[in-house]
Amino acid sequence: MSKGKVTVLGSNGHIGHAAMLAFRDAGWDVTGLGRSNRRPVGGTHFIAGNADHLGVVRDAIADADVVVHALHLPYDQWGNGRAEAQLQVVIDALGDSGKTLLFPGTIYNYRANDRTVSPATRQSAEAPRGEIRIALEAMLRAAAAERRFQAIILRAGDFYGPGNRGEWFEQAMLMNLGKGQIHHMGDLALRHSWAYLPDLARAFVVLAERRAMLDGFENFHFAGNWISHGQMMDAIAQALDRPVTVSPMPWWVLRAIGLVNPVMRDIYRMRYLWLNEMELVDPRLDAIVGPDFATPFGAAVAATVGELIESRKAA
């Protein structure tokens, strides 16, 4: 028997694909919405459509009890109100339905000197990208306050996981793996917040299944892996089948490219996330998911690295 119906908006993306798998494996009736079904998930349904169109989103979520907002604009398209417009379509589609919206939050909402970041920490952005994320969450809080629908934010650090592409783990730290080199993003002794995508997706499932016990608006922080850059390098090296050289990320290259490339310019502006320790904490969420919830760190990195190596061999 199904535990309920969930629609994942943006089912091809990082969080979207992981959510499709996690909800399916937990016994939900799962539907994904995307422009194309380029990452099909067996045992689920798929609707082809553009999430910028209100009618498309409204039809896709019509029968859903829970909606996962996994839509994500490219870095260079966040400004000029585009991110807010994208979310407004989803808010309008939800209307006064009383459904539950699960929304992935980011650490961008906080400042570099916020060493311990809990749901009670005051949000104050370090960069324009963070100001946009704060505005999006304010939109959800306002809609929930009107009792139109339930909004649950689950905030996490940087993603990694099998099959995940286009993120720091693959495109920066392992960008020169073919040359026998891996890069650390900051001082080896500094710690960083990481989220293993399969675990994060399972946490979304847990919150969906506990939604009746939660308030109309909730903000949870997913602790994930709070480990040093050195520990990450060690775990990657251990997962590889050959020796590698460990070297610092050449940030100056990104800065130089950013002079002519707006995407790289924005990425360089966000380097403070790697150069400062910002730990996500939430004892309340820890109690909800229970002990031993997370995949062991070494096993998670090994699964991620192993899948990437196999995919590159097959290419």
Side-chain angles (χ1 to χ4, degrees), residues 7-18:
T7 296
V8 179
L9 306 177
S11 57
N12 291 313
H14 307 308
I15 292 179
H17 183 70

Side-chain angles (χ1 to χ4, degrees), residues 196-219:
Y196 184 54
L197 270 174
D199 288 349
L200 177 62
R202 289 191 299 115
F204 273 113
V205 174
V206 171
L207 293 177
E209 294 177 350
R210 301 285 187 90
R211 65 190 184 282
M213 296 179 286
L214 301 176
D215 290 337
F217 179 83
E218 295 277 11
N219 174 27

Side-chain angles (χ1 to χ4, degrees), residues 49 55-56 68-69 73 80 85 127 142 161 166 169 172 174 179 182 198 200 217 243 251 255 271 297-298 310 312:
V56 170
V68 179
H69 187 294
L73 290 170
N80 299 319
F169 193 98
L174 300 184
K179 301 177 182 178
I182 59 177
L200 177 62
F217 179 83
W251 285 105
R255 183 180 185 184
R271 71 192 184 282
F297 173 62
E310 289 303 314
R312 288 183 177 179

